[in-house]
């Protein structure tokens, strides 16, 4: 579906959520951003493998230039998440 159509964005979001449903215990998405989080390194490697298998089987592609792997914390949907903590992104709050 071309992105110029009225409902294309909503349909894409719904498709991503549907595809990630089997792994939503450790994976989250918001529009076209996806994140995989784990508590243990070995567990994280397993979760990443499952994530990539799901993405591949759905026929999605990932831009590796936009990916970050094995980070202790990441910016995701206006928050900094990682290492058992979640806080607002200070750069976004100060601009308000």
């Amino acid at each position: 579906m071309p992105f110029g159509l009225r409902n294309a964005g909503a349909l894409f979001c719904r498709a991503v959520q549907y595809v990630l449903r089997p792994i939503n215990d450790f994976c989250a998405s918001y529009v076209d951003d996806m994140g995989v989080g784990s508590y243990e390194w070995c567990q994280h490697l397993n979760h990443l493998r499952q994530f990539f298998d799901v993405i591949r089987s759905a026929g999605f592609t990932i831009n590796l230039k936009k990916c970050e792997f094995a980070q202790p914390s990441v910016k995701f949907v206006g928050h900094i998440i990682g290492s058992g903590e979640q806080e607002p992104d200070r750069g976004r709050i100060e601009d308000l």
Side-chain angles (χ1 to χ4, degrees):
M1 171 181 285
F3 268 85
L5 299 177
R6 181 178 302 214
N7 293 329
L11 184 62
F12 176 77
C13 291
R14 197 172 317 129
V16 168
Q17 290 174 352
Y18 177 79
V19 165
L20 297 179
R21 188 172 296 159
I23 57 173
N24 70 358
D25 291 341
F26 56 86
C27 185
S29 68
Y30 182 78
V31 186
D32 63 345
D33 291 334
M34 296 175 239
V36 177
S38 310
Y39 292 106
E40 305 273 335
W41 176 246
C42 291
Q43 182 185 41
H44 189 62
L45 293 175
N46 185 33
H47 287 166
L48 283 175
R49 178 170 302 283
Q50 291 177 46
F51 171 77
F52 288 131
D53 288 344
V54 166
I55 293 297
R56 182 184 303 127
S57 67
F60 289 172
T61 58
I62 295 175
N63 184 346
L64 291 177
K65 293 178 184 176
K66 295 182 177 182
C67 294
E68 296 179 21
F69 296 102
Q71 300 294 312
S73 64
V74 294
K75 291 182 182 180
F76 187 71
V77 193
H79 291 82
I80 298 177
I81 301 172
S83 300
E85 298 180 7
Q86 176 181 347
E87 61 184 34
D89 183 0
R90 299 285 179 210
R92 300 204 46 147
I93 293 174
E94 292 173 3
D95 291 342
L96 297 176

